[in-house]
Amino acid sequence: MRARPLASPGAVLLLLPLCGLIAGCPDDPKPPPDPEGPSCLFEPVGDVNAPIELEIIALDPDYQAYPVEEGSVVHNIFPPQGGRVVFAGVRARNIDPCAVLLAGALRDPVSKQVRPESRTVNLRPGEDGWASSVPTDISTFSNIPTCPNQWASQDLYGVPYELIVEVTERSGRKASASFTVQPVCEEAGFIEECRCICQGGYELGEVCTEGTGGGGGAGG
């Protein structure tokens, strides 16, 4: 199996950063971005007095980034922590790229159940005038836990879900985007196992015959 980049040990599974976007969340205050954050010396990208412009990107099974739009597929990928995740990142401008709180979530449109994840990241400025998550560093992407599927009322592949991504600057400025997407199981060598642990009604410990990813938890 090919070597995979390791997730940041500081990655944290959180519900609160997306509560303002997701109906039914508790009214607890959101934690601010870590003012220190990962070490970062990047300058602001674009005009920080203008609204933040935000685009969602995701990783495919070859760890190549691609833009996410309405109706796009997103890939259930076997990560270092086990289970399956969707790696959702951003491209942004008019933003301070240091210590950005990046929050992502998938919502089941049938049951309205949500699986969120958030972390503090440094977005890397590029020559195109945008700052972005880095495909070679999965810790700069929200590792949204999808499977084992013990939360959704339907399969986590081949049907629509809502993908929500939000960024918060150290200053507190925010921007968000959301699209209807279709999760898929297309990672070579793990397709049947992915479909097994991502099916609706999956029971933890159920035997899946393909691959070595197992039914362990995701989102660590």
Side-chain angles (χ1 to χ4, degrees):
M1 185 174 70
R2 64 179 180 274
R4 297 170 182 271
L6 294 178
S8 164
V12 180
L13 177 64
L14 293 175
L15 175 61
L16 295 179
L18 286 161
C19 285
L21 302 176
I22 300 169
C25 286
D27 294 328
D28 296 325
K30 300 177 186 179
D34 180 353
E36 299 299 327
S39 178
C40 181
L41 299 175
F42 296 139
E43 296 293 327
V45 175
D47 181 0
V48 294
N49 294 313
I52 298 172
E53 295 183 43
L54 185 69
E55 297 178 355
I56 301 177
I57 61 175
L59 293 181
D60 67 18
D62 293 321
Y63 288 84
Q64 299 298 308
Y66 64 94
V68 174
E69 301 172 341
E70 188 70 13
S72 292
V73 301
V74 292
H75 295 267
N76 290 309
I77 296 177
F78 174 40
Q81 64 265 34
R84 294 297 184 278
V85 303
V86 167
F87 290 115
V90 295
R91 296 178 71 242
R93 63 182 175 185
N94 304 332
I95 192 171
D96 174 357
C98 294
V100 173
L101 182 63
L102 171 64
L106 272 182
R107 176 161 54 188
D108 180 351
V110 177
S111 69
K112 308 304 180 184
Q113 289 291 312
V114 178
R115 282 301 177 270
E117 196 263 6
S118 66
R119 56 185 61 212
T120 301
V121 304
N122 296 324
L123 302 177
R124 180 180 295 175
E127 295 181 357
D128 59 357
W130 292 70
S132 64
S133 302
V134 183
T136 55
D137 182 0
I138 61 174
S139 72
T140 64
F141 286 74
S142 177
N143 292 205
I144 302 172
T146 54
C147 311
N149 182 10
Q150 297 182 286
W151 63 277
S153 62
Q154 55 183 341
D155 291 343
L156 263 159
Y157 56 89
V159 294
Y161 279 76
E162 183 181 6
L163 174 64
I164 309 163
V165 175
E166 180 181 84
V167 294
T168 305
E169 280 187 331
R170 290 182 287 187
S171 67
R173 292 200 313 151
K174 303 174 186 293
S176 63
S178 64
F179 294 110
T180 298
V181 298
Q182 180 172 291
V184 295
C185 290
E186 294 182 351
E187 189 172 18
F190 296 97
I191 294 174
E192 293 305 317
E193 185 209 25
C194 177
R195 290 176 179 172
C196 172
I197 68 173
C198 292
Q199 66 184 317
Y202 173 79
E203 295 184 5
L204 194 63
E206 185 175 335
V207 176
C208 300
T209 58
E210 182 192 38
T212 58

